[in-house]
Amino acid sequence: MSFQAPKGTYDIVPPASSAWLAVREALALPPRLSGYDYVETPMFEDTALFVRGVGESTDVVNKEMYTFDDRGGRSLTLRPEGTAGVLRAVVERGLHRGQLPVKVWYVGPNFRYEQPQSGRYRQHTQVGVETIGSDDPALDAEVIWLAVEAHRRIGLTKVRLLLNSLGCRDCRPAYRELLQDFLRGLDLDEDTRRRVEINPMRVLDDKRAEVQAQLTNAPLITDHLCGACKEHHDEVRAYLSDLGVHWEDNPRLVRGMDYYVRTTFEFVHDGLGAQSSIGGGGRYDGLMATIGGPDLGGVGFGLGLDRTILAVEAEGLTVGDRSRCDVYVVPLGAAARRRTVTLLRDLRQAGVRSDTAYGGQGLKGAMKAADRSGAAFAVVLGDRDLEQQTAQVKDLRSGDQQAVPLDEVVQRLVQAVQTQTTKENPG
RNA sequence: GUGGGUGUAGCUCAGCUGGUAGAGCACUGGGUUGUGGUCCCAGGUGUCGCGGGUUCAAGUCCCGUCACUCACCCCA
């Protein structure tokens, strides 16, 4: 009997796991520098929360949810997206009763029952932010900028930002009917005709050429925004210009959740194959009210960690620290081995990443392990050195080696590692 | 849910029209019994995804099945 990871899931293992950590931290850094607090919510919620929040017409709710009954007969669902759960938590814990807007960030897995392919998995991780309780267009711009800034810090250069406004409950219904009238006159297959009735805007970003060819004269939402939505959209774009953010207006950009209104955006990367979206988000005024909370608007995003890493790979970037430690201790002989245990403790307590060879490896093998660990320094400690209360400290980059009194080793290495680090990562 | 491609060593893969299973990398040991990275030598691994069929003989051909993968759909 042997086992493998469930279909559509994968393990994050070395050496790639170091990049995973680094990208996760990089995506989270801009929010942390911008007044966002960390939140964590359950990975499963009441099924009804997602049905109401995400929307009954969405594919996510209709065919992609991992739903099950627990032993108490409750219908629960592994969260397919992050926003609904965070809003539920904000309402339940009363976070909105303080100063507004509430600004939070989070990271964690989402689950959708999909057919896996490149960049699409049944479990994927997103870093997200939600801001609740303000309809200031400057906040829309800030949220977008956070993602742009994260991409910039990582070093990604081939990310495109697509921007649209979906209107609001005042102006969208009229546009929706206009669009439906147009779409009903086209030659479409049965599935698509059904979509025209359920979610007509989704037809606009159909990938098939024969569909797109018929859409050239389709009415566009941006031509039918109400005064307030148009003003909001213009202001968001003005702020983005001020921030030096580049974007492409895409009036056909539609997103998968029903809750989006006004601002919507998506980050796409052209080096990823079919699943090119590495993140997206938008404004969701009205969502909190539909899940039983006060009528506070909000704007947020989800950035796909998995796909961002694919983008990093596609651009040939190296991120993260591949070295496991800075100092590798090589003990020779039984007495030296005993002394190594406390030496390592002292190094680690002093904040020096350090390791040693276990299992009685020979000197040669241990030195080889030191090399592979990525350590900058090796400490060779033999019984011969121990008698003189010294250790041999070797600079593995230059090959220089010198004897250092044992009681000075930790202090000397702390300094040496610091020097090494600033040399390798200036600024 | 629907289509295409691929399953051979830990990893990447070779194996032409059927004839006794291979390379590189990695790993371990040695050359150097107190010194890594380069070099040289030695060493191990295989239910050839699984089941069935054709054949004197199947990694190779046929059928089925499972898994992986890419794409549609949809999304991060």
Side-chain angles (χ1 to χ4, degrees):
Chain A
M1 192 67 198
S2 67
F3 296 98
Q4 52 187 288
K7 188 181 182 76
T9 68
Y10 62 97
D11 303 307
I12 297 150
V13 295
S17 52
S18 61
W20 204 85
L21 274 183
V23 171
R24 191 180 68 181
E25 295 311 304
L27 293 177
L29 187 56
R32 297 173 70 175
L33 294 174
S34 308
Y36 289 69
D37 284 313
Y38 179 68
V39 296
E40 202 163 311
T41 65
M43 275 182 261
F44 54 86
E45 297 270 3
D46 198 321
T47 299
L49 172 68
F50 297 121
V51 173
R52 299 190 58 139
V54 175
E56 296 189 62
S57 78
T58 60
D59 282 3
V60 167
V61 167
N62 279 315
K63 49 185 198 191
E64 295 177 357
M65 294 210 299
Y66 276 97
T67 297
F68 60 96
D69 288 341
D70 74 3
R71 287 165 190 267
R74 291 169 276 260
S75 179
L76 301 173
T77 295
L78 299 184
R79 69 171 177 227
E81 60 94 51
T83 303
V86 170
L87 290 204
R88 190 227 85 229
V90 167
V91 172
E92 183 176 344
R93 313 297 300 192
L95 296 177
H96 61 288
R97 292 167 159 275
Q99 204 175 31
L100 296 176
V102 176
K103 303 206 298 182
V104 296
W105 75 276
Y106 55 91
V107 56
N110 295 329
F111 306 85
R112 293 179 202 165
Y113 189 85
E114 304 200 70
Q115 202 54 247
Q117 73 187 73
S118 183
R120 194 176 69 183
Y121 314 100
R122 290 184 173 178
Q123 174 176 343
H124 76 276
T125 299
Q126 288 185 22
V127 172
V129 305
E130 311 294 349
T131 69
I132 296 129
S134 168
D135 57 7
D136 189 336
L139 194 54
D140 302 48
E142 172 175 293
V143 165
I144 291 170
W145 176 83
L146 293 175
V148 171
E149 172 64 4
H151 295 147
R152 187 192 68 79
R153 281 180 180 270
I154 292 166
L156 292 169
T157 58
K158 294 173 185 162
V159 180
R160 292 185 293 129
L161 166 60
L162 310 181
L163 185 67
N164 194 19
S165 173
L166 294 180
C168 63
R169 54 198 124 165
D170 292 330
C171 52
R172 191 157 19 161
Y175 167 71
R176 186 185 146 106
E177 275 185 43
L178 198 67
L179 180 61
Q180 280 176 323
D181 285 345
F182 173 84
L183 294 172
R184 285 180 190 128
L186 302 181
D187 175 30
L188 300 168
D189 62 278
E190 196 183 326
D191 265 7
T192 310
R193 297 180 98 90
R194 203 174 306 128
R195 210 165 347 137
V196 168
E197 303 309 318
I198 298 168
N199 196 336
M201 295 185 70
R202 200 88 56 77
V203 179
L204 290 178
D205 64 358
D206 195 305
K207 279 182 188 166
R208 292 169 295 183
E210 65 270 25
V211 177
Q212 278 301 325
Q214 301 183 69
L215 294 175
T216 43
N217 293 318
L220 297 174
I221 178 71
T222 40
D223 296 327
H224 300 273
L225 294 176
C226 63
C229 282
K230 186 172 184 329
E231 188 183 340
H232 186 91
H233 193 42
D234 288 342
E235 286 186 43
V236 170
R237 292 189 292 179
Y239 282 119
L240 289 176
S241 289
D242 290 350
L243 289 165
V245 171
H246 300 285
W247 77 90
E248 300 169 25
D249 285 313
N250 185 338
R252 295 185 177 184
L253 176 67
V254 181
R255 298 187 43 75
M257 315 303 163
D258 278 354
Y259 51 64
Y260 287 116
V261 296
R262 293 192 167 175
T263 308
T264 53
F265 54 90
E266 193 161 305
F267 295 93
V268 297
H269 195 281
D270 296 321
L272 298 192
Q275 308 304 318
S276 59
S277 169
I278 65 169
R283 180 162 276 284
Y284 42 78
D285 302 342
L287 172 57
M288 188 174 267
T290 71
I291 62 167
D295 189 12
L296 293 173
V299 56
F301 66 55
L303 302 179
L305 190 45
D306 321 64
R307 288 194 189 164
T308 302
I309 286 163
L310 292 177
V312 165
E313 287 168 359
E315 292 198 25
L317 302 172
T318 52
V319 298
D321 184 0
R322 287 284 300 106
S323 72
R324 282 193 292 274
C325 56
D326 298 312
V327 173
Y328 201 90
V329 182
V330 177
L332 297 168
R337 172 155 292 284
R338 293 207 65 164
R339 183 64 180 82
T340 295
V341 172
T342 52
L343 176 58
L344 271 177
R345 177 199 60 195
D346 295 342
L347 282 166
R348 290 163 175 172
Q349 285 183 341
V352 176
R353 301 184 305 153
S354 43
D355 198 5
T356 187
Y358 291 99
Q361 253 177 323
L363 176 63
K364 189 187 171 88
M367 286 302 290
K368 195 176 262 191
D371 190 50
R372 281 173 202 159
S373 75
F377 300 94
V379 176
V380 178
L381 185 61
D383 290 351
R384 194 193 292 168
D385 307 294
L386 213 48
E387 279 169 25
Q388 298 166 28
Q389 285 298 300
T390 64
Q392 305 294 325
V393 174
K394 180 168 187 173
D395 183 326
L396 289 171
R397 309 277 194 271
S398 67
D400 297 341
Q401 179 172 317
Q402 56 177 307
V404 172
L406 248 185
D407 54 12
E408 289 176 25
V409 164
V410 172
Q411 186 198 339
R412 291 276 286 271
L413 283 170
V414 167
Q415 283 170 1
V417 166
Q418 228 156 34
T419 311
Q420 190 86 21
T421 308
T422 48
K423 207 191 304 171
E424 286 174 6
N425 307 302

